[in-house]
Amino acid sequence: MEQLHIVGGRRLHGQVRISGAKNAVLKLMAASLLVENECIIRNVPLIKDVLTMIEVLRNLGVELSWEEEAVLRIKPKKGLNYVAPDELVREMRASVQVMGPLLTKIGKVKLFQPGGCVIGQRPIDLHLKGFQALGAHVVEEHGYVYAEASKLKGVDIHLDFPSVGATENIMAAAILAEGTTVIKNAAKEPEIIEEQNFYNRLGARIRGAGTDTIRIEGVPALRSVPVDYTVIPDRIEAGTYILAAAITGGEITLLDVIPEHFEALTSKLKECGVQIQIDGDNMTVASSGKLKAIDVTILPYPGFPTDLQPQMTAVMSLADGTSLITENVFGGRFRYVDELVRMGANIRVEGRSAVVKGVKRLTGAAVIAPDLRAGAALVLAGLAAEGKTVIEGVHFIDRGYERIEEKLSSLGAEISLIN
Ligand code: UD1
């Protein structure tokens, strides 16, 4: 079983290049089911979730190959399958994002109903309500969800919550529908703008991504043109390295980032006393390591992202004072707190909030990552803790961070991956 071994106490310094955005690339790969010709996607991170999505798509009848490092060539074959393989859907929830593209392209899709999740309940009712509103017939039975439609018709859809996945799936399903679909209270994440841009390159007519209203004018067919697309940098990976610099009292420069995408984080960190300097696509973060505790409220974009909540909690565990971290996106996302407490943190969870009383020091311990971002939080705690931390559950971290041990080592951390 893989473990990460970290000896804490090293201040990070140097430069780090941020990889392509996991949550954009997975959706662009699913979107490639609609490609009539072939497409190239660049800046694809070599992470476990990308490898899983490659397998999902191969099973559905898509040809994928690595052209070179970080460059995927994708070409759907004629006659796609409509059933996504159970074990892959179980492994990666983002597999549900093939539903919208398949429904609009071949009129049916079936997959294993993704169940509960360690970070809280993650139903897909909003996705399915959207498909139904567009005229699809949806059946949920024997643990599967099946959707079919001979014709989809544009409609106005108001989402109860700005769900990222539902916005993306409904957007995809509406592309070849008859008439115009308007999604209101849509999610506004930068990854959704990526998808709009990608689909429009294929010949779709979508406007408004990045705002709460997205308008999709259905087209009879997409163009048979090759598309070459470069994915945006990963704002969550960037945020994790920023927080690593903050917790170790280091100074690092992130290369190739879009600073506007994580302003919710940097504005909060400035309040804590971290210095942030932007120079074009690069950002330098400098921290004395003595941070002021602040309260953080997790909200959909452009609010503070839930995918940085555990890492921020780790940083606040060493801050001066008490901070209140309130999670409004995923109810069950505090499962890692017991592990931080094992390292000496003083955190109490009350419902949707964590009360974090800053302590003077954390001490290295054997801990287990319960999920991807919680794993990153434990890495940050390990970097700042006295002595050695051993992290199990590394496969979760591999799902979303490209070569994390190499990148952190190059910044001066004492970290190694033990097989
Ligand atoms: C995506 C991201 C994930 C991020 C999350 C929120 C990917 C692959 N994953 O997940 O990293 O943490 O956005 O920024 O892009 N909900 C429902 N019904 C639904 C759909 C969602 O009740 O049909 C609820 C969820 O339970 C959750 C909230 O809406 O409480 C947000 O979920 P959503 O935005 O859909 O997250 P994902 O798309 O699954």
Side-chain angles (χ1 to χ4, degrees), residues 379-393:
V379 170
L380 299 197
L383 292 174
E386 284 177 23
K388 187 169 178 178
T389 295
V390 175
I391 303 177
E392 283 183 13

Side-chain angles (χ1 to χ4, degrees), residues 6-10 12 244 247-248 378-385 408 413 415:
I6 305 173
V7 179
R10 301 277 187 95
L12 298 192
I247 199 169
T248 62
L378 297 176
V379 170
L380 299 197
L383 292 174
L408 285 171
I415 176 169

Side-chain angles (χ1 to χ4, degrees), residues 35 104 110-111 115 144 168 205-206 284 302 313 342 347 358 406:
V35 166
T104 202
K110 181 179 176 185
L111 49 74
Y144 287 86
E168 294 166 331
R205 292 211 188 116
I206 310 176
T284 300
T313 303
R342 202 187 309 285
I347 307 173
E406 280 177 38

Side-chain angles (χ1 to χ4, degrees), residues 9-44:
R10 301 277 187 95
R11 290 174 176 237
L12 298 192
H13 58 89
Q15 297 186 333
V16 62
R17 191 168 296 280
I18 298 304
S19 303
K22 168 178 99 73
N23 287 351
V25 95
L26 293 175
K27 318 308 174 50
L28 296 188
M29 290 170 74
S32 73
L33 286 159
L34 288 179
V35 166
E36 290 293 337
N37 193 296
E38 66 171 16
C39 71
I40 299 274
I41 305 182
R42 296 178 194 274
N43 205 22
V44 178

Side-chain angles (χ1 to χ4, degrees), residues 22-23 26-27 93-94 121-127 161-166 189 306-307 329-330 333:
K22 168 178 99 73
N23 287 351
L26 293 175
K27 318 308 174 50
R93 222 191 101 83
Q121 273 219 315
R122 291 177 92 176
I124 55 166
D125 56 317
L126 300 175
H127 305 229
F161 186 90
S163 152
V164 174
E189 271 69 1
T306 178
D307 285 349
V329 176
F330 287 114
R333 207 165 197 175

Side-chain angles (χ1 to χ4, degrees), residues 141-201:
E141 60 184 13
H142 307 302
Y144 287 86
V145 49
Y146 175 69
E148 72 172 335
S150 50
K151 197 164 205 56
L152 293 166
K153 278 202 165 170
V155 67
D156 283 9
I157 295 170
H158 188 281
L159 293 178
D160 295 342
F161 186 90
S163 152
V164 174
T167 301
E168 294 166 331
N169 247 338
I170 296 167
M171 185 203 273
I175 287 174
L176 297 172
E178 193 185 298
T180 299
T181 299
V182 180
I183 309 175
K184 293 180 183 150
N185 197 27
K188 296 185 275 205
E189 271 69 1
E191 292 76 18
I192 292 169
I193 304 178
E194 282 292 272
E195 273 170 87
Q196 166 181 281
N197 295 344
F198 182 80
Y199 282 131
N200 285 348
R201 294 275 297 280

